[in-house]
Each structure stands twice: as C-alpha cells, then as structure tokens.
C-alpha cells in the first residue's frame, strides 16, 4: 500500500511538472477571474432584465425576469463555489489526487 501511495505521489509530481510553473500560474489567474467575474455579470444582467420588465409594466415580463434572475443567481453561486469545493475534495485525497495549485 505504501508503494502505491509513493508511486501515485510521483505520478502527481510529474503531472504538475508537465504543466510548468508559468502555465499553472496562468490557469490559476484565469480561473480566479472567471470565478469572481460571474457574480458581477449576474448582478448586471439581472439588473438589466428587471429594469426592462419594470419599464414595460407587464406582469408577464416581470415574472419572466424574476425566473431568469433566480436561475442566473443559482448558476452564479454554483460557478463561484464549485471550484472551491472540488479543491477541498481533491486535497482531501492527500497525495493521490491533487489540483497542482490550480482552482479555488
């Protein structure tokens, strides 16, 4: 069993070295930008939808805008928290599984 863990640690180390430090850093920055831009984009799009519905003064448009905003908020929360949850789960696996410092 210990040999298996040592072999998996070696494979993980090789996998992380294949990406390189620069690519790993770039991927981490890209994922961070995506993770933090989604909530901002969600707020902006929901504001635009609700504003259009209020200006049109139609109940059906308002209901449609509310449903769209709820879906966007759920998706935005998922996009914000899923990388962090995956990183926690993969780091919990110890040396066998890892993220090479990317994400969350």
């Amino acid at each position: 069993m210990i040999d298996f863990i040592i072999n998996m640690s070696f494979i993980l180390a090789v996998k992380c070295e294949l990406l390189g430090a620069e690519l790993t850093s770039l991927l981490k920055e890209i994922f961070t930008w995506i993770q933090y831009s989604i909530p901002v984009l969600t707020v902006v799009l929901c504001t635009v939808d609700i504003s259009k519905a209020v200006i049109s003064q139609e109940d059906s448009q308002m209901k449609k805008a509310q449903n769209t905003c709820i879906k966007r908020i759920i998706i935005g929360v998922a996009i914000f928290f899923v990388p962090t949850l995956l990183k926690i789960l993969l780091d919990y696996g110890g040396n066998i599984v890892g993220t090479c410092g990317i994400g969350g």
Side-chain angles (χ1 to χ4, degrees):
M1 181 66 176
I2 294 190
D3 289 336
F4 175 75
I5 292 173
I6 292 171
N7 289 338
M8 291 306 291
S9 298
F10 177 74
I11 291 170
L12 180 62
V14 169
K15 180 181 76 169
C16 291
E17 288 176 9
L18 287 176
L19 292 176
E22 291 179 18
L23 182 58
T24 302
S25 175
L26 178 66
L27 288 173
K28 186 174 184 176
E29 188 174 330
I30 289 171
F31 289 146
T32 302
W33 274 98
I34 290 171
Q35 188 177 11
Y36 289 108
S37 65
I38 294 297
V40 172
L41 188 61
T42 301
V43 169
V44 169
L45 290 175
C46 284
T47 303
V48 169
D49 285 345
I50 297 291
S51 299
K52 285 181 183 179
V54 168
I55 290 171
S56 72
Q57 295 181 350
E58 293 181 20
D59 289 335
S60 63
Q61 291 291 336
M62 190 64 164
K63 191 72 164 168
K64 183 179 175 184
Q66 288 174 347
N67 289 336
T68 304
C69 283
I70 290 171
K71 290 176 187 174
R72 284 186 180 149
I73 289 170
I74 292 170
I75 292 169
V77 167
I79 289 174
F80 187 80
F81 284 113
V82 165
T84 305
L85 292 174
L86 285 175
K87 184 176 184 326
I88 290 169
L89 290 174
L90 291 175
D91 286 344
Y92 181 72
N95 292 331
I96 297 173
V97 180
T99 61
C100 297
I102 300 172

